[in-house]
Amino acid sequence: MAVVIGAVLPVIVKLFLLLLCLNFNSSLTQARKWESWKDKYPFIRQASSFSSSNDWSSGSGSSKGHNYDYIIVGGGTAGCPLAATLSQKFNVLLLERGGVPFANANVSLMQNFHITLADTSPTSASQFFASTDGVFNARARVLGGGTCINAGFYSRTSESYIEKAGWDSKLVNESFPWIEKQIVHRPILAPWQKAVSDGLLEVGISPYNGFTYDHIYGTKFGGTLFDRFGHRKTAADLLTSANPEKLDVLVHAIVQKIKFDTSGKKPRAVGVIFKDKKGNQHTAFLSKRKGSEIIVSSGAIGSPQILLLSGIGPKAELEKLNISVVLDNKFVGKGMSDNPMNTIFVPTNRPVQQSLIQTVGITKMGVYIEASSGYGQTEDSIHCHHGIVSAEIGQLSAIPPKQRTLEAIEVYKRNKKHVPQEAFKGGFIIEKIATPLSTGHISLKSTEIDDSPSVTFNYFSHPRDLKRCVDGIRIMEKIVKSKHFTTYAQCDKETLDKLLNMSVQANINLIPKHTNDTESLEQFCKDTVITIWHYHGGCQVGKVVNPDYRVINVNRLRVIDGSTFNESPGTNPQATVLMMGRYMGVKILRERLGRAAGL
């Protein structure tokens, strides 16, 4: 069984993540339902409508105009709840480089989850990039950020993480429910998820904790951003809690850099330069009022990139690109991590109901086990071409990079036509390393904000990470062999043989033949690693920002998002990042207004 699973894995994972064709009829039908979003969010407009001012606002008036107390760069997982909260008392400008999610069926419908990841067009909600490790990745490019393109799983971080971060636990426990009441649902547990849950308990990942948001050892199922109809809520929906009189949201506003006044002892942030989708440049300035700030919330890739482009970072790196150095800080862009993911595909002899992440096993060995299933592509979809992220040119093909000639690619494409429909009956068991010790870095490739920076994660460079991956693979193998799971999967030999033959024809990776051999499993981990999109680091606390997320030795500038984390919180970070946006918004208001904050 394990031999077949290992052989099938590389091709199936890639197909699962990236092989889809768009269903435009469904998209158009859903889009009509959301045509009224502008009435709900009257403060959202195109960046091209912004009228730049070359002078600072003198500012004591109550109208927004250019009198912004806070400019937030990035309308993502942290940026949206932060903007909604700060707008209760102050004038806020939120700048988002992407469009809106509300009329985008690929974002809003669970059945279309993978389409956005496969879409590499300029208008896609996700931006494709490949790390130097050779792993395909995606950055969110839409209002709502990663909550628009992820699998929707919602699970809080642990109490120990909150304590280590130095957060006020009372305020944390007020901030999580603020998020949950608006956009989080209790999922209807899918059969595949129940089977994996039973398998986890059978192999000793206990106790069973049922449905809970809390991060506790054992097996549980958590919340989801998808409602019972498969419609996604995102961080952008939290903007309904904003004060519309005090919030401006500009979409397709690509921030190029932060402007500074360097005449004092410390550089002071005064505004931002951004361009609209027509390429026209604009400048937005902060109010001169005490306490006004620019807050960067562009994610683990975007936030260090913006700091570097603005002149904050390692002096030698900045000077190589002729960027004027505002502050020499060698830690900007360093400490980058991604939690490595490896998966096992388990075929069945019948279609499986679609489910994304619901069940999770939280182990004491630093590994999390999750599951997904049922993605319902048609036979035509399986065999169609999918652009730059197609499996035929992906890193999971066993053809070494130097041998990936046009001829080799064509051979793969021809073989792909023989992929059996059975390859899309089944689901995945997933293992993720909880707190990887392997770290990398981010560096600029150019001074163009549109160019993704060079990102290196150095997966499994630390031996402890590799050991934990092996432990995780062994847990997954036990689950696959468990009585509960085998009873559910009912995978017959004929189906397994078809998948094995298909994997050989597809020139996939060399896979381990002896599952009890540690060295083979180590190679399996390295060969089949993919991202789980849980990037963090680059602007870490104590190195780039202080515990209040103010950029060290810079006035009126903070970074509030996952780039400040030393490790990814919980099984999945989005709950904590959403909470962080609300938490810091309330904290800033209370520090600035005291009891008058009224929150």
Side-chain angles (χ1 to χ4, degrees):
M1 180 67 158
V3 170
V4 175
I5 290 166
V8 169
L9 169 65
V11 158
I12 300 302
V13 169
K14 207 60 202 171
L15 291 169
F16 169 66
L17 293 173
L18 304 170
L19 302 186
L20 291 159
C21 291
L22 300 179
N23 184 334
F24 290 105
N25 290 333
S26 172
S27 299
L28 290 172
T29 300
Q30 291 297 327
R32 294 189 190 102
K33 295 181 180 180
W34 296 310
E35 285 176 352
S36 61
W37 70 265
K38 292 181 181 178
D39 298 330
K40 195 174 182 180
Y41 304 95
F43 44 78
I44 299 177
R45 54 194 175 96
Q46 291 288 336
S48 56
S49 67
F50 185 82
S51 176
S52 296
S53 171
N54 291 323
D55 300 311
W56 287 13
S57 172
S58 59
S60 59
S62 60
S63 62
K64 284 178 289 187
H66 298 289
N67 188 25
Y68 293 113
D69 298 286
Y70 296 97
I71 298 176
I72 300 173
V73 181
T77 308
C80 285
L82 180 63
T85 302
L86 292 175
S87 72
Q88 296 301 314
K89 299 295 180 180
F90 293 100
N91 295 326
V92 178
L93 174 64
L94 179 62
L95 300 171
E96 168 53 46
R97 68 183 185 130
V100 296
F102 310 115
N104 187 336
N106 292 339
V107 167
S108 299
L109 300 181
M110 185 172 70
Q111 68 192 50
N112 292 347
F113 164 63
H114 310 92
I115 293 178
T116 294
L117 297 177
D119 180 7
T120 58
S121 69
T123 58
S124 172
S126 67
Q127 180 182 4
F128 166 80
F129 76 98
S131 70
T132 63
D133 313 275
V135 174
F136 288 154
N137 293 264
R139 298 171 60 190
R141 183 170 51 192
V142 62
L143 187 67
T147 64
C148 298
I149 65 172
N150 64 20
F153 188 62
Y154 182 95
S155 181
R156 296 181 179 184
T157 191
S158 64
E159 292 182 3
S160 61
Y161 189 98
I162 293 167
E163 183 179 352
K164 189 185 295 185
W167 292 334
D168 178 343
S169 60
K170 183 175 184 294
L171 181 53
V172 167
N173 290 326
E174 292 171 357
S175 301
F176 272 125
W178 186 86
I179 302 293
E180 291 153 7
K181 289 175 183 177
Q182 298 183 74
I183 64 172
V184 186
H185 304 273
R186 176 173 178 158
I188 300 171
L189 201 63
W192 185 270
Q193 302 289 331
K194 177 66 166 58
V196 173
S197 175
D198 290 342
L200 281 163
L201 292 170
E202 187 176 329
V203 304
I205 311 302
S206 59
Y208 179 62
N209 297 307
F211 169 73
T212 179
Y213 294 142
D214 293 337
H215 184 95
I216 44 181
Y217 290 120
T219 295
K220 72 164 194 173
F221 66 103
T224 178
L225 299 187
F226 294 101
D227 65 18
R228 63 193 181 94
F229 302 107
H231 294 167
R232 182 197 295 267
K233 290 284 189 179
T234 77
D237 291 281
L238 297 172
L239 294 175
T240 56
S241 295
N243 180 350
E245 300 302 316
K246 289 184 173 292
L247 177 63
D248 278 336
V249 178
L250 299 182
V251 293
H252 297 120
I254 303 173
V255 173
Q256 296 169 293
K257 64 178 182 178
I258 300 162
K259 288 180 65 71
F260 295 97
D261 176 0
T262 57
S263 61
K265 291 183 178 179
K266 294 181 180 179
R268 181 171 57 140
V270 297
V272 296
I273 299 172
F274 64 95
K275 62 180 180 179
D276 59 38
K277 63 180 179 180
K278 297 178 182 177
N280 296 321
Q281 189 168 284
H282 307 269
T283 305
F285 289 100
L286 277 176
S287 164
K288 286 184 176 180
R289 283 195 293 270
K290 184 179 179 180
S292 297
E293 292 179 316
I294 292 172
I295 302 174
V296 180
S297 297
S298 297
I301 308 298
S303 289
Q305 181 185 20
I306 287 173
L307 290 190
L308 290 168
L309 289 172
S310 302
I312 298 176
K315 182 178 179 181
E317 292 183 30
L318 298 178
E319 289 179 342
K320 283 181 183 178
L321 292 172
N322 294 319
I323 297 173
S324 298
V325 179
V326 173
L327 179 73
D328 180 13
N329 185 328
K330 65 181 181 181
F331 296 112
V332 177
K334 304 302 187 291
M336 292 294 300
S337 286
D338 182 24
N339 300 75
M341 178 173 77
N342 297 82
T343 81
I344 287 180
F345 174 76
V346 183
T348 65
N349 58 4
R350 65 196 185 283
V352 175
Q353 177 186 331
Q354 182 185 21
S355 69
L356 298 179
I357 309 300
Q358 294 178 339
T359 291
V360 60
I362 300 175
T363 75
K364 292 184 178 180
M365 61 182 66
V367 174
Y368 304 141
I369 308 296
E370 301 175 356
S372 63
S373 67
Y375 24 88
Q377 288 96 328
T378 65
E379 190 168 346
D380 288 341
S381 174
I382 294 170
H383 297 150
C384 70
H385 189 272
H386 297 83
I388 191 171
V389 292
S390 294
E392 56 262 23
I393 57 174
Q395 87 275 14
L396 293 183
S397 170
I399 303 173
K402 292 182 180 179
Q403 297 177 30
R404 290 175 196 172
T405 63
L406 291 175
E407 293 78 9
I409 290 172
E410 288 303 316
V411 169
Y412 187 99
K413 288 165 65 176
R414 286 197 299 272
N415 288 336
K416 184 178 168 185
K417 293 179 181 179
H418 302 295
V419 174
Q421 186 70 19
E422 286 86 353
F424 290 86
K425 292 179 182 177
F428 292 85
I429 304 176
I430 299 165
E431 70 93 14
K432 162 195 164 182
I433 304 302
T435 53
L437 299 175
S438 306
T439 61
H441 59 275
I442 183 173
S443 58
L444 298 178
K445 291 189 288 190
S446 76
T447 57
E448 294 296 322
I449 187 65
D450 298 311
D451 295 339
S452 279
S454 174
V455 185
T456 301
F457 294 116
N458 288 324
Y459 297 107
F460 299 126
S461 59
H462 195 288
R464 187 177 168 191
D465 292 345
L466 201 54
K467 181 182 182 303
R468 285 186 290 175
C469 179
V470 169
D471 292 339
I473 298 296
R474 285 180 170 151
I475 292 174
M476 293 196 293
E477 288 185 327
K478 290 178 182 178
I479 293 171
V480 170
K481 296 175 183 176
S482 68
K483 179 180 177 181
H484 284 93
F485 197 81
T486 53
T487 300
Y488 172 78
Q490 295 180 7
C491 185
D492 58 46
K493 185 177 185 302
E494 183 181 358
T495 300
L496 293 175
D497 287 344
K498 278 187 179 181
L499 290 165
L500 183 57
N501 291 335
M502 175 272 299
S503 67
V504 172
Q505 291 177 359
N507 296 319
I508 61 171
N509 290 346
L510 183 64
I511 53 92
K513 295 296 189 294
H514 306 289
T515 60
N516 293 323
D517 183 85
T518 301
E519 289 184 2
S520 292
L521 287 182
E522 288 175 343
Q523 194 61 46
F524 179 88
C525 288
K526 293 178 180 179
D527 289 348
T528 65
V529 64
I530 56 177
T531 182
I532 198 168
W533 307 288
H534 295 170
Y535 327 124
H536 53 282
C539 299
Q540 291 174 320
V541 172
K543 296 178 179 179
V544 178
V545 298
N546 69 16
D548 288 325
Y549 304 102
R550 291 183 171 93
V551 177
I552 296 169
N553 291 322
V554 179
N555 291 327
R556 307 211 306 177
L557 181 64
R558 298 196 203 215
V559 179
I560 299 176
D561 59 25
S563 70
T564 64
F565 295 162
N566 292 313
E567 60 187 58
S568 182
T571 55
N572 298 66
Q574 76 165 344
T576 306
V577 178
L578 285 161
M579 179 279 296
M580 184 187 191
R582 171 65 178 178
Y583 174 96
M584 285 305 300
V586 173
K587 193 168 187 291
I588 290 169
L589 290 182
R590 287 178 177 174
E591 288 174 351
R592 190 167 178 180
L593 298 174
R595 292 183 179 180
L599 297 171

